[in-house]
Amino acid sequence: MLKLKIIDSLAFFSGLSDDEKKTVSELNLRIFKYEPRTLIIKARGGDNHLFFLVKGTATVVGASKEPVAILKTGDVFGEISFLSNTHKRSADVVSNTDAIVMRVDREAFKTLSPIIREKLKDKLINIILERLLSSETGYDLDISTSTFDWAKSG
């Protein structure tokens, strides 16, 4: 029931029917709580989970140890390693506040029907493209899955 409530609250799942959301909620989803300044994802890590920030904020820290992005409630992260069989984690993700994170296992994801998988993969591809375009154009991007806020970086 809690997992379904979380899925219902995340814009990422807005294109799914109620039945499809229920099916996703029945996957082996794990929910974790992190205290501030706790490592959620380690760069070059070999895991392939997808993460949703259910509550709180977190910082994506690149190879230069500089912040790359701020994640907010509702954001998805870890999508490159989740979709790829060969790419390791490209950045650290560290909680800024008390944070609640839902983790999706790639193997569990593969058990979804092709229709649901396709819808979710399309969402992930759109997120990746938006992030890529924002980095190439020099614009800062609010990486929330529900709205994009373009502001010229300075």
Side-chain angles (χ1 to χ4, degrees):
M1 187 66 161
L2 173 63
K3 293 174 187 177
L4 183 56
K5 285 181 75 169
I6 290 171
I7 288 167
D8 255 345
S9 74
L10 297 171
F12 180 82
F13 296 101
S14 64
L16 299 182
S17 70
D18 289 343
D19 286 341
E20 290 170 330
K21 288 178 186 179
K22 184 175 184 309
T23 299
V24 172
S25 75
E26 293 167 351
L27 292 177
N28 182 24
L29 307 174
R30 303 274 316 268
I31 299 172
F32 298 93
K33 183 174 180 183
Y34 295 93
E35 294 181 357
R37 295 176 302 284
T38 303
L39 189 66
I40 300 171
I41 290 180
K42 180 159 182 56
R44 295 169 304 287
D47 74 285
N48 54 18
H49 303 295
L50 181 66
F51 297 86
F52 295 90
L53 189 57
V54 176
K55 181 180 177 192
T57 64
T59 299
V60 179
V61 181
S64 67
K65 300 300 177 194
E66 293 294 321
V68 175
I70 302 295
L71 301 167
K72 301 179 308 235
T73 297
D75 287 342
V76 59
F77 56 101
E79 67 282 352
I80 300 290
S81 294
F82 181 75
L83 291 174
S84 171
N85 290 324
T86 58
H87 288 84
K88 294 189 180 237
R89 299 290 182 192
S90 60
D92 290 336
V93 176
V94 180
S95 61
N96 297 330
T97 62
D98 285 331
I100 297 174
V101 173
M102 182 174 71
R103 185 181 81 186
V104 179
D105 178 78
R106 183 195 303 170
E107 294 308 312
F109 182 80
K110 290 178 180 179
T111 67
L112 291 170
S113 73
I115 292 171
I116 298 173
R117 275 197 325 265
E118 190 71 22
K119 287 179 182 181
L120 298 179
K121 280 184 178 181
D122 284 350
K123 289 239 183 183
L124 290 174
I125 291 167
N126 284 331
I127 290 168
I128 292 167
L129 288 172
E130 291 290 345
R131 291 178 184 173
L132 179 63
L133 289 171
S134 72
S135 69
E136 288 180 353
T137 60
Y139 285 83
D140 289 331
L141 176 65
D142 173 352
I143 60 178
S144 163
T145 57
S146 57
T147 60
F148 295 99
D149 183 18
W150 295 88
K152 182 76 171 157
S153 60

